[in-house]
């Protein structure tokens, strides 16, 4: 079993930055592709970014390309989401997820494990 715990959310002004962290339990973190999702009130959960097991390949939703960067440190069992140039439309609860198969699953909102979420609020 894998447990994921997100942190780093908060309140930030438009144009600002935040870095989210997702800490995973277990010895097999490197066996999982990792991803980030977000869900705004009244809306469906949407894919944000994904990264391969080794960290060599990353994928992003069009809405965040050029602003967000996903990375991972397998030695620390942690995946990150660096969010720059934040906009009010980025306001949502952000969730971390893990999937054994790969990033193609994560891009289709398929995952084996997911975390509790962390709130990100961007003011105008």
């Amino acid at each position: 079993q894998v447990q994921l715990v997100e942190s780093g959310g908060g309140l930030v002004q438009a144009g600002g930055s935040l870095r989210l962290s997702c800490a995973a339990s277990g010895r097999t973190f490197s066996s999982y592709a990792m991803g980030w999702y977000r869900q705004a009130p009244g809306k469906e959960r949407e894919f944000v970014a994904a990264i391969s097991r080794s960290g060599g390949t990353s994928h992003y939703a069009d809405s965040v390309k050029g602003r967000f960067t996903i990375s991972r440190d397998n030695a620390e069992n942690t995946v990150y989401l660096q969010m720059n140039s934040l906009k009010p439309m980025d306001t949502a609860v952000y969730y971390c997820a893990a999937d054994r198969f790969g990033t193609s699953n994560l891009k289709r909102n398929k995952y084996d494990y997911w975390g509790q979420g962390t709130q990100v609020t961007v003011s105008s």
Side-chain angles (χ1 to χ4, degrees):
Q1 299 294 312
V2 175
Q3 183 167 344
L4 306 173
V5 180
E6 301 97 331
S7 62
L11 175 64
V12 64
Q13 290 185 315
S17 299
L18 285 173
R19 188 175 76 154
L20 306 183
S21 298
C22 174
S25 65
R27 299 177 296 160
T28 59
F29 177 73
S30 62
S31 297
Y32 293 85
M34 302 295 298
W36 288 94
Y37 300 83
R38 65 187 183 187
Q39 187 169 23
K43 296 185 178 181
E44 298 285 330
R45 185 175 298 186
E46 65 174 339
F47 168 79
V48 174
I51 189 167
S52 62
R53 297 171 185 84
S54 67
T57 304
S58 300
H59 304 272
Y60 299 92
D62 288 343
S63 60
V64 306
K65 285 182 179 177
R67 300 189 298 121
F68 290 11
T69 302
I70 188 171
S71 62
R72 67 190 296 162
D73 185 341
N74 287 347
E76 298 293 333
N77 286 4
T78 303
V79 63
Y80 304 95
L81 185 68
Q82 178 67 46
M83 305 185 295
N84 298 327
S85 301
L86 283 162
K87 305 174 181 179
M89 72 176 195
D90 296 318
T91 295
V93 177
Y94 283 71
Y95 299 89
C96 174
D99 190 81
R100 176 79 70 167
F101 182 78
T103 57
S104 60
N105 265 10
L106 292 166
K107 291 170 66 176
R108 293 172 171 82
N109 289 68
K110 296 181 179 179
Y111 37 80
D112 296 321
Y113 304 98
W114 57 288
Q116 83 290 344
T118 184
Q119 177 71 46
V120 172
T121 302
V122 184
S123 62
S124 300

PDB file of all heavy atoms in Angstrom, residues 6 11 13 15 22 32 42 46 48 57 59 67 70 82 86 94 96 115 117-118 122:
ATOM      1  N   GLU A   6      -0.116  15.377   0.704  1.00  0.00           N
ATOM      2  CA  GLU A   6       0.220  16.642   0.055  1.00  0.00           C
ATOM      3  C   GLU A   6       0.430  17.739   1.088  1.00  0.00           C
ATOM      4  O   GLU A   6      -0.164  17.718   2.168  1.00  0.00           O
ATOM      5  CB  GLU A   6      -0.896  17.075  -0.907  1.00  0.00           C
ATOM      6  CG  GLU A   6      -1.206  16.082  -2.009  1.00  0.00           C
ATOM      7  CD  GLU A   6      -2.380  15.187  -1.687  1.00  0.00           C
ATOM      8  OE1 GLU A   6      -2.623  14.925  -0.488  1.00  0.00           O
ATOM      9  OE2 GLU A   6      -3.071  14.751  -2.632  1.00  0.00           O
ATOM     10  N   LEU A  11      -2.692  30.558   0.405  1.00  0.00           N
ATOM     11  CA  LEU A  11      -3.248  31.724  -0.266  1.00  0.00           C
ATOM     12  C   LEU A  11      -2.122  32.529  -0.890  1.00  0.00           C
ATOM     13  O   LEU A  11      -1.127  32.835  -0.229  1.00  0.00           O
ATOM     14  CB  LEU A  11      -4.020  32.584   0.736  1.00  0.00           C
ATOM     15  CG  LEU A  11      -4.583  33.910   0.233  1.00  0.00           C
ATOM     16  CD1 LEU A  11      -5.636  33.669  -0.843  1.00  0.00           C
ATOM     17  CD2 LEU A  11      -5.159  34.701   1.392  1.00  0.00           C
ATOM     18  N   GLN A  13      -1.320  35.744  -4.070  1.00  0.00           N
ATOM     19  CA  GLN A  13      -1.843  36.711  -5.020  1.00  0.00           C
ATOM     20  C   GLN A  13      -1.551  36.279  -6.447  1.00  0.00           C
ATOM     21  O   GLN A  13      -0.596  35.547  -6.710  1.00  0.00           O
ATOM     22  CB  GLN A  13      -1.234  38.091  -4.778  1.00  0.00           C
ATOM     23  CG  GLN A  13      -1.694  38.763  -3.500  1.00  0.00           C
ATOM     24  CD  GLN A  13      -1.153  40.167  -3.366  1.00  0.00           C
ATOM     25  OE1 GLN A  13       0.023  40.414  -3.608  1.00  0.00           O
ATOM     26  NE2 GLN A  13      -2.018  41.097  -2.980  1.00  0.00           N
ATOM     27  N   GLY A  15      -0.092  36.023  -9.953  1.00  0.00           N
ATOM     28  CA  GLY A  15       1.278  36.280 -10.356  1.00  0.00           C
ATOM     29  C   GLY A  15       2.308  35.674  -9.433  1.00  0.00           C
ATOM     30  O   GLY A  15       3.494  35.626  -9.784  1.00  0.00           O
ATOM     31  N   CYS A  22       4.375  16.230  -2.341  1.00  0.00           N
ATOM     32  CA  CYS A  22       3.612  15.015  -2.086  1.00  0.00           C
ATOM     33  C   CYS A  22       4.587  13.960  -1.611  1.00  0.00           C
ATOM     34  O   CYS A  22       5.431  13.492  -2.388  1.00  0.00           O
ATOM     35  CB  CYS A  22       2.877  14.560  -3.344  1.00  0.00           C
ATOM     36  SG  CYS A  22       2.046  12.969  -3.186  1.00  0.00           S
ATOM     37  N   TYR A  32       6.269   3.829  -9.482  1.00  0.00           N
ATOM     38  CA  TYR A  32       5.026   4.508  -9.816  1.00  0.00           C
ATOM     39  C   TYR A  32       5.266   5.781 -10.613  1.00  0.00           C
ATOM     40  O   TYR A  32       6.134   6.584 -10.267  1.00  0.00           O
ATOM     41  CB  TYR A  32       4.259   4.873  -8.544  1.00  0.00           C
ATOM     42  CG  TYR A  32       3.735   3.690  -7.783  1.00  0.00           C
ATOM     43  CD1 TYR A  32       4.545   3.019  -6.871  1.00  0.00           C
ATOM     44  CD2 TYR A  32       2.436   3.247  -7.975  1.00  0.00           C
ATOM     45  CE1 TYR A  32       4.073   1.923  -6.177  1.00  0.00           C
ATOM     46  CE2 TYR A  32       1.954   2.157  -7.281  1.00  0.00           C
ATOM     47  CZ  TYR A  32       2.775   1.498  -6.378  1.00  0.00           C
ATOM     48  OH  TYR A  32       2.293   0.417  -5.687  1.00  0.00           O
ATOM     49  N   GLY A  42     -17.765  22.639  -7.442  1.00  0.00           N
ATOM     50  CA  GLY A  42     -18.766  22.448  -8.464  1.00  0.00           C
ATOM     51  C   GLY A  42     -18.252  21.945  -9.795  1.00  0.00           C
ATOM     52  O   GLY A  42     -19.028  21.837 -10.750  1.00  0.00           O
ATOM     53  N   GLU A  46      -9.735  17.536 -12.542  1.00  0.00           N
ATOM     54  CA  GLU A  46      -9.035  17.591 -13.813  1.00  0.00           C
ATOM     55  C   GLU A  46      -7.551  17.296 -13.663  1.00  0.00           C
ATOM     56  O   GLU A  46      -6.927  17.625 -12.652  1.00  0.00           O
ATOM     57  CB  GLU A  46      -9.231  18.955 -14.488  1.00  0.00           C
ATOM     58  CG  GLU A  46      -8.622  20.120 -13.734  1.00  0.00           C
ATOM     59  CD  GLU A  46      -8.709  21.423 -14.505  1.00  0.00           C
ATOM     60  OE1 GLU A  46      -8.869  21.391 -15.738  1.00  0.00           O
ATOM     61  OE2 GLU A  46      -8.620  22.491 -13.863  1.00  0.00           O
ATOM     62  N   VAL A  48      -3.672  17.739 -14.144  1.00  0.00           N
ATOM     63  CA  VAL A  48      -2.781  18.895 -14.181  1.00  0.00           C
ATOM     64  C   VAL A  48      -1.423  18.533 -14.772  1.00  0.00           C
ATOM     65  O   VAL A  48      -0.952  19.175 -15.710  1.00  0.00           O
ATOM     66  CB  VAL A  48      -2.593  19.502 -12.782  1.00  0.00           C
ATOM     67  CG1 VAL A  48      -1.552  20.620 -12.813  1.00  0.00           C
ATOM     68  CG2 VAL A  48      -3.920  20.024 -12.248  1.00  0.00           C
ATOM     69  N   THR A  57      10.198  11.913 -18.296  1.00  0.00           N
ATOM     70  CA  THR A  57       9.123  12.394 -19.149  1.00  0.00           C
ATOM     71  C   THR A  57       8.054  13.058 -18.307  1.00  0.00           C
ATOM     72  O   THR A  57       7.641  12.508 -17.280  1.00  0.00           O
ATOM     73  CB  THR A  57       8.498  11.241 -19.952  1.00  0.00           C
ATOM     74  OG1 THR A  57       9.507  10.579 -20.713  1.00  0.00           O
ATOM     75  CG2 THR A  57       7.424  11.763 -20.897  1.00  0.00           C
ATOM     76  N   HIS A  59       4.236  15.463 -18.495  1.00  0.00           N
ATOM     77  CA  HIS A  59       3.076  15.857 -19.279  1.00  0.00           C
ATOM     78  C   HIS A  59       2.287  16.902 -18.501  1.00  0.00           C
ATOM     79  O   HIS A  59       2.208  16.841 -17.278  1.00  0.00           O
ATOM     80  CB  HIS A  59       2.181  14.655 -19.581  1.00  0.00           C
ATOM     81  CG  HIS A  59       2.888  13.544 -20.274  1.00  0.00           C
ATOM     82  ND1 HIS A  59       2.990  13.475 -21.644  1.00  0.00           N
ATOM     83  CD2 HIS A  59       3.537  12.460 -19.786  1.00  0.00           C
ATOM     84  CE1 HIS A  59       3.672  12.386 -21.972  1.00  0.00           C
ATOM     85  NE2 HIS A  59       4.021  11.760 -20.872  1.00  0.00           N
ATOM     86  N   ARG A  67       3.814  27.332 -17.051  1.00  0.00           N
ATOM     87  CA  ARG A  67       3.698  27.933 -15.721  1.00  0.00           C
ATOM     88  C   ARG A  67       4.007  26.953 -14.602  1.00  0.00           C
ATOM     89  O   ARG A  67       4.575  27.336 -13.579  1.00  0.00           O
ATOM     90  CB  ARG A  67       2.297  28.505 -15.519  1.00  0.00           C
ATOM     91  CG  ARG A  67       1.923  29.593 -16.518  1.00  0.00           C
ATOM     92  CD  ARG A  67       0.615  30.278 -16.139  1.00  0.00           C
ATOM     93  NE  ARG A  67      -0.509  29.342 -16.145  1.00  0.00           N
ATOM     94  CZ  ARG A  67      -1.270  29.085 -15.088  1.00  0.00           C
ATOM     95  NH1 ARG A  67      -1.033  29.687 -13.926  1.00  0.00           N
ATOM     96  NH2 ARG A  67      -2.288  28.233 -15.188  1.00  0.00           N
ATOM     97  N   ILE A  70       6.400  19.834 -12.908  1.00  0.00           N
ATOM     98  CA  ILE A  70       6.364  18.673 -12.035  1.00  0.00           C
ATOM     99  C   ILE A  70       7.759  18.060 -11.981  1.00  0.00           C
ATOM    100  O   ILE A  70       8.472  18.017 -12.986  1.00  0.00           O
ATOM    101  CB  ILE A  70       5.315  17.644 -12.507  1.00  0.00           C
ATOM    102  CG1 ILE A  70       5.159  16.520 -11.475  1.00  0.00           C
ATOM    103  CG2 ILE A  70       5.662  17.083 -13.883  1.00  0.00           C
ATOM    104  CD1 ILE A  70       3.978  15.589 -11.762  1.00  0.00           C
ATOM    105  N   GLN A  82       5.805  22.751  -8.902  1.00  0.00           N
ATOM    106  CA  GLN A  82       6.161  24.161  -8.818  1.00  0.00           C
ATOM    107  C   GLN A  82       5.175  24.948  -9.657  1.00  0.00           C
ATOM    108  O   GLN A  82       5.053  24.716 -10.860  1.00  0.00           O
ATOM    109  CB  GLN A  82       7.587  24.390  -9.323  1.00  0.00           C
ATOM    110  CG  GLN A  82       8.025  25.844  -9.320  1.00  0.00           C
ATOM    111  CD  GLN A  82       8.141  26.407  -7.925  1.00  0.00           C
ATOM    112  OE1 GLN A  82       8.710  25.771  -7.042  1.00  0.00           O
ATOM    113  NE2 GLN A  82       7.599  27.600  -7.720  1.00  0.00           N
ATOM    114  N   LEU A  86       0.726  32.279 -11.035  1.00  0.00           N
ATOM    115  CA  LEU A  86      -0.584  31.762 -10.664  1.00  0.00           C
ATOM    116  C   LEU A  86      -1.702  32.735 -11.021  1.00  0.00           C
ATOM    117  O   LEU A  86      -1.535  33.955 -10.936  1.00  0.00           O
ATOM    118  CB  LEU A  86      -0.618  31.442  -9.176  1.00  0.00           C
ATOM    119  CG  LEU A  86       0.093  30.146  -8.799  1.00  0.00           C
ATOM    120  CD1 LEU A  86       0.394  30.114  -7.313  1.00  0.00           C
ATOM    121  CD2 LEU A  86      -0.764  28.946  -9.198  1.00  0.00           C
ATOM    122  N   TYR A  94      -5.778  20.645  -4.713  1.00  0.00           N
ATOM    123  CA  TYR A  94      -4.821  19.905  -5.522  1.00  0.00           C
ATOM    124  C   TYR A  94      -4.538  18.552  -4.883  1.00  0.00           C
ATOM    125  O   TYR A  94      -4.261  18.463  -3.686  1.00  0.00           O
ATOM    126  CB  TYR A  94      -3.528  20.704  -5.683  1.00  0.00           C
ATOM    127  CG  TYR A  94      -3.655  21.817  -6.689  1.00  0.00           C
ATOM    128  CD1 TYR A  94      -4.414  22.943  -6.405  1.00  0.00           C
ATOM    129  CD2 TYR A  94      -3.033  21.736  -7.931  1.00  0.00           C
ATOM    130  CE1 TYR A  94      -4.561  23.965  -7.331  1.00  0.00           C
ATOM    131  CE2 TYR A  94      -3.173  22.750  -8.862  1.00  0.00           C
ATOM    132  CZ  TYR A  94      -3.930  23.862  -8.558  1.00  0.00           C
ATOM    133  OH  TYR A  94      -4.068  24.870  -9.482  1.00  0.00           O
ATOM    134  N   CYS A  96      -2.494  14.709  -5.193  1.00  0.00           N
ATOM    135  CA  CYS A  96      -1.401  13.903  -5.707  1.00  0.00           C
ATOM    136  C   CYS A  96      -1.910  12.487  -5.960  1.00  0.00           C
ATOM    137  O   CYS A  96      -2.760  11.982  -5.226  1.00  0.00           O
ATOM    138  CB  CYS A  96      -0.267  13.897  -4.685  1.00  0.00           C
ATOM    139  SG  CYS A  96       1.120  12.820  -5.054  1.00  0.00           S
ATOM    140  N   GLY A 115      -4.016  11.175  -2.702  1.00  0.00           N
ATOM    141  CA  GLY A 115      -3.897  11.796  -1.396  1.00  0.00           C
ATOM    142  C   GLY A 115      -5.138  12.540  -0.967  1.00  0.00           C
ATOM    143  O   GLY A 115      -6.192  12.474  -1.613  1.00  0.00           O
ATOM    144  N   GLY A 117      -5.440  15.878  -0.543  1.00  0.00           N
ATOM    145  CA  GLY A 117      -5.579  17.177  -1.170  1.00  0.00           C
ATOM    146  C   GLY A 117      -5.052  18.316  -0.321  1.00  0.00           C
ATOM    147  O   GLY A 117      -4.992  18.237   0.898  1.00  0.00           O
ATOM    148  N   THR A 118      -4.672  19.399  -0.993  1.00  0.00           N
ATOM    149  CA  THR A 118      -4.249  20.621  -0.330  1.00  0.00           C
ATOM    150  C   THR A 118      -4.846  21.808  -1.079  1.00  0.00           C
ATOM    151  O   THR A 118      -4.850  21.843  -2.304  1.00  0.00           O
ATOM    152  CB  THR A 118      -2.709  20.710  -0.257  1.00  0.00           C
ATOM    153  OG1 THR A 118      -2.327  21.870   0.491  1.00  0.00           O
ATOM    154  CG2 THR A 118      -2.075  20.772  -1.638  1.00  0.00           C
ATOM    155  N   VAL A 122      -5.917  31.520  -5.137  1.00  0.00           N
ATOM    156  CA  VAL A 122      -5.217  32.611  -5.803  1.00  0.00           C
ATOM    157  C   VAL A 122      -6.154  33.808  -5.880  1.00  0.00           C
ATOM    158  O   VAL A 122      -7.221  33.733  -6.495  1.00  0.00           O
ATOM    159  CB  VAL A 122      -4.754  32.215  -7.213  1.00  0.00           C
ATOM    160  CG1 VAL A 122      -3.952  33.347  -7.839  1.00  0.00           C
ATOM    161  CG2 VAL A 122      -3.928  30.936  -7.158  1.00  0.00           C
TER     162      VAL A 122
END
